[in-house]
Amino acid sequence: MHEPQTSLFPNRTITELVEDIENLTREIQELYCFDDIPWIIGVSWGKDSTTVLQLIWNAIATLPLEKRRKTIYVITTDTMVENPIVSCWVQKCIVQLKNAAQKQEMPIQPYLLHPSYNATFWGCLIGKGYPAPRPSFRWCTDRMKINPVNNFIRNLVRTHGETIVVLGIRKAESIQRATIMKKYEQNRVRERLSPNVRLLNSLVYTPIEDWRTDEIWLYLMQWENPWGGNNQDLFALYRGATADNECPLVVDTSTPSCGDSRLGCWVCTMVSRDKSMEAMIQNDEEKEWLQPLLDIRNELGIEDDRDKRDFRRIYGKVELFGKEKIEPIPGPYTKKWREYWLKRVLEAQVQVRNTAPDEYKNITLITPEELSEIRRIWLEEKHEFDDSLPKIYEEVTGETYQDTRLVVDNHFLGSDEWDILADICQDDTMHLELMAKLLDTERQFYAKSQRKGIYQDLEKCFESSSRQKDDAIENAHLQRNLKMSSESGDIDEFKAHLNQENNERQQPVKQPTKEDTTNKQLSLSWANLKYPSQQEEE
């Protein structure tokens, strides 16, 4: 992403930059001392947020101790799928910041935020089956980044009434960012303070909004890091994530900068390629252990993944889209592929632990808490009572799976019963799914003191899983045609579609004879299947 070449970002001399820094220092001090509203600095520990934090630290550090009375909360969101190199960098920076703040009596408190375990990347993708994020279905950002931050801010608002959120966003990042920030400027309540569009009683302060990338690096290289960090290491991190392994400090826009390097989630499929991780592996032999992560990311990034996904949406209904060619909207990953992705991630975790340098030996790609949540989803929401997660974990890692939560053992249904049911249904996956849902729904209600709602839940099983794929899609087309003909007022077409629907419902069903019923009951009873009679064995 290149900086927009507009008159909004003219080249400034070193003297002008120094003057701007001095003005910003006074501005920060005045805003800080003006009221008791707490500050929240959102940092990723990249170049922009580090610049903002350093500017604020230096400004507050020059105030007398009696004026450093207002807490500044420094928050970082760990999505739990951050590039491991960056994740270790972030953890190191947080420790340095915390220690230096205590030693220098700075009113700064760092916090590392995480998404809830029912909203993590692997919980959603492997557990629920969400497909890899795409521009049309970007489910990851809100769950993994925005919600943890918003929850933190809301808690402070409840306590203090309002907050000021300080961000290192800049207009020079892109033309789109410049347009959005310009729009927010029109609603400012005070100079540099814009309303937070997501949260009430929260203002946004953007001190480096007019800075260029070269000015960011110039500041970081020429002004010493006040909490004991090393900005040269940050520079090297960006340089290592640049394809040509070069990252010159620039003083004019004709020279390329490493500021375009992207450091984020290693699973991100919102971009066509993860150029930063590719560059890290290419530029440094000691980072070749990252290759298994890049392989998984590239496999997730395949655009046409229909063969891996259900033909229904996650709630079991077929939905259609398209103009010329009307097709079903592909749904979540199927059971087979959810189990496949779990195996791939565990294999990568084992591999990197064996090949990574000592400082990364204990790397965790998927946490025990995430594994527990995935297991719960598969058992309780997907009704997959074969409980395959412990078996997959033990096969890949060679270790016994220990669930972090107390799980009540299922004494009624397990892998043996699942295998029997799968053998009965053979290749009829919908029949297997329906029977599994019905049986497990009954099991879930069995332990309850009241069975209120069981009929509604059983009905939902039939609604979502009773039709074969072709029949379900054909029915969705019929319902769509009925709706469209009704909206268009074409009575003849509506009647034709309605008659088609009635004819399908009135298809004669072959009634089984008494002999058929008896034989079926004999052959498909649980007792006969698990413990065949002597006559059947012969």
Side-chain angles (χ1 to χ4, degrees):
M1 183 183 296
H2 298 285
E3 295 186 359
Q5 300 296 318
T6 71
S7 58
L8 291 174
F9 315 106
N11 292 337
R12 294 191 293 186
T13 64
I14 301 298
T15 302
E16 290 172 331
L17 177 61
V18 171
E19 183 180 350
D20 187 32
I21 292 171
E22 293 173 351
N23 291 335
L24 273 176
T25 299
R26 289 191 292 271
E27 178 180 278
I28 290 168
Q29 292 172 338
E30 290 173 2
L31 282 173
Y32 177 83
C33 297
F34 184 76
D35 50 40
D36 294 326
I37 301 174
W39 282 19
I40 302 172
I41 308 177
V43 298
S44 63
W45 297 98
K47 63 184 188 308
D48 295 335
S49 59
T50 300
T51 296
V52 167
L53 182 56
Q54 189 166 307
L55 282 167
I56 290 177
W57 181 295
N58 287 332
I60 303 304
T62 58
L63 292 174
L65 286 176
E66 62 270 16
K67 290 190 175 183
R68 303 182 202 172
R69 54 188 174 79
K70 189 165 65 176
T71 302
I72 299 175
Y73 301 88
V74 177
I75 61 174
T76 305
T77 304
D78 178 8
T79 63
M80 302 170 68
V81 282
E82 300 291 332
N83 182 308
I85 305 294
V86 178
S87 181
C88 288
W89 165 261
V90 167
Q91 294 175 27
K92 177 183 176 181
C93 290
I94 290 175
V95 171
Q96 290 175 331
L97 185 75
K98 183 176 181 179
N99 293 338
Q102 293 175 348
K103 185 176 181 180
Q104 300 180 35
E105 298 185 73
M106 292 291 290
I108 290 177
Q109 296 181 10
Y111 288 85
L112 186 61
L113 311 180
H114 300 89
S116 59
Y117 283 112
N118 62 359
T120 65
F121 187 85
W122 298 125
C124 290
L125 188 140
I126 297 177
K128 299 175 184 178
Y130 285 10
R134 296 287 189 275
S136 59
F137 187 37
R138 188 172 183 168
W139 53 263
C140 51
T141 305
D142 277 357
R143 289 173 173 82
M144 294 157 50
K145 286 191 173 183
I146 296 176
N147 288 347
V149 170
N150 286 352
N151 291 336
F152 186 92
I153 295 174
R154 287 192 188 100
N155 288 334
L156 277 184
V157 169
R158 292 189 189 102
T159 304
H160 300 277
E162 52 187 328
T163 60
I164 293 177
V165 180
V166 188
L167 300 176
I169 56 177
R170 297 180 295 115
K171 297 172 186 175
E173 291 179 72
S174 69
I175 295 177
Q176 182 182 13
R177 173 62 60 84
T179 302
I180 293 174
M181 292 182 69
K182 201 69 178 176
K183 178 181 177 182
Y184 291 156
E185 285 181 12
Q186 299 173 2
N187 300 319
R188 283 183 169 172
V189 295
R190 274 190 277 168
E191 187 177 359
R192 298 254 206 193
L193 295 181
S194 304
N196 190 326
V197 294
R198 285 180 173 264
L199 295 170
L200 295 174
N201 297 341
S202 182
L203 299 173
V204 177
Y205 176 39
T206 52
I208 60 169
E209 58 186 22
D210 294 322
W211 284 36
R212 299 191 318 272
T213 299
D214 58 290
E215 294 174 332
I216 294 291
W217 284 119
L218 186 61
Y219 174 73
L220 290 175
M221 293 300 103
Q222 297 301 318
W223 276 259
E224 184 179 359
N225 186 299
W227 57 85
N230 190 333
N231 292 341
Q232 290 285 350
D233 290 342
L234 177 63
F235 183 77
L237 185 64
Y238 274 86
R239 181 178 59 194
T242 305
D244 56 6
N245 199 25
E246 293 184 2
C247 186
L249 285 178
V250 296
V251 292
D252 60 74
T253 55
S254 62
T255 309
S257 169
C258 67
D260 293 335
S261 302
R262 176 194 164 277
L263 300 172
C265 302
W266 67 266
V267 292
C268 184
T269 51
M270 296 300 297
V271 291
S272 58
R273 291 168 53 198
D274 189 342
K275 295 181 180 179
S276 63
M277 186 176 288
E278 289 178 357
M280 284 182 177
I281 297 171
Q282 173 186 331
N283 295 334
D284 189 348
E285 290 184 359
E286 293 186 358
K287 292 186 175 66
E288 289 182 355
W289 59 271
L290 290 169
Q291 187 63 50
L293 279 65
L294 184 61
D295 292 340
I296 292 176
R297 183 259 161 226
N298 290 339
E299 194 172 356
L300 282 170
I302 296 174
E303 290 189 13
D304 187 4
D305 58 359
R306 286 174 175 269
D307 60 319
K308 302 177 179 63
R309 296 166 62 183
D310 204 318
F311 64 94
R312 301 156 297 176
R313 303 304 297 273
I314 200 165
Y315 41 83
K317 183 179 178 181
V318 176
E319 289 192 5
L320 306 173
F321 79 109
K323 294 182 179 179
E324 296 181 0
K325 186 178 181 181
I326 310 300
E327 296 179 311
I329 300 174
Y333 290 123
T334 61
K335 182 178 190 293
K336 169 187 172 182
W337 284 99
R338 285 184 278 110
E339 292 174 346
Y340 172 82
W341 293 127
L342 172 63
K343 184 177 180 181
R344 291 282 283 118
V345 174
L346 289 173
E347 287 173 342
Q349 180 168 285
V350 171
Q351 187 173 349
V352 298
R353 286 180 175 179
N354 290 332
T355 58
D358 290 340
E359 59 185 309
Y360 302 107
K361 284 292 184 184
N362 296 323
I363 188 173
T364 299
L365 301 183
I366 184 167
T367 66
E369 290 80 7
E370 287 178 286
L371 290 171
S372 180
E373 176 63 11
I374 290 169
R375 187 188 187 196
R376 183 199 67 78
I377 293 171
W378 287 3
L379 285 171
E380 297 180 7
E381 298 180 17
K382 303 290 187 182
H383 302 285
E384 294 165 357
F385 54 77
D386 59 326
D387 196 14
S388 60
L389 187 144
K391 181 179 179 181
I392 294 172
Y393 181 87
E394 291 166 12
E395 286 179 350
V396 175
T397 66
E399 302 172 357
T400 301
Y401 175 71
Q402 300 289 337
D403 203 319
T404 57
R405 292 185 288 192
L406 180 62
V407 178
V408 179
D409 291 334
N410 182 354
H411 296 293
F412 302 102
L413 300 170
S415 58
D416 289 344
E417 287 72 22
W418 185 276
D419 291 341
I420 292 171
L421 196 59
D423 187 54
I424 295 172
C425 299
Q426 296 183 358
D427 296 329
D428 192 341
T429 55
M430 292 304 298
H431 190 196
L432 171 61
E433 180 182 292
L434 176 60
M435 293 300 103
K437 284 185 175 181
L438 291 172
L439 286 167
D440 196 59
T441 298
E442 166 63 27
R443 179 198 63 79
Q444 290 183 9
F445 276 89
Y446 180 83
K448 295 182 179 180
S449 58
Q450 293 185 349
R451 293 165 64 84
K452 183 179 179 181
I454 184 172
Y455 293 116
Q456 290 87 337
D457 282 7
L458 291 173
E459 182 64 28
K460 290 178 183 178
C461 297
F462 283 105
E463 289 175 355
S464 64
S465 308
S466 61
R467 293 179 184 269
Q468 294 296 328
K469 178 179 179 179
D470 292 342
D471 292 340
I473 294 174
E474 183 179 351
N475 180 66
H477 279 281
L478 179 59
Q479 297 301 321
R480 178 179 179 276
N481 292 336
L482 276 170
K483 180 181 179 182
M484 292 184 66
S485 58
S486 173
E487 292 175 349
S488 66
D490 191 330
I491 298 176
D492 293 335
E493 185 179 0
F494 179 81
K495 287 182 177 180
H497 292 313
L498 189 61
N499 289 335
Q500 181 184 348
E501 182 181 38
N502 291 333
N503 290 336
E504 287 187 0
R505 290 180 177 178
Q506 295 173 5
Q507 287 292 329
V509 179
K510 179 184 176 182
Q511 297 297 325
T513 64
K514 183 177 181 181
E515 182 180 358
D516 291 336
T517 304
T518 302
N519 291 336
K520 188 174 183 180
Q521 289 175 343
L522 178 63
S523 62
L524 298 187
S525 67
W526 290 105
N528 285 333
L529 285 166
K530 291 200 73 172
Y531 310 104
S533 65
Q534 183 178 356
Q535 182 180 359
E536 289 176 309
E537 288 180 336
E538 294 174 352

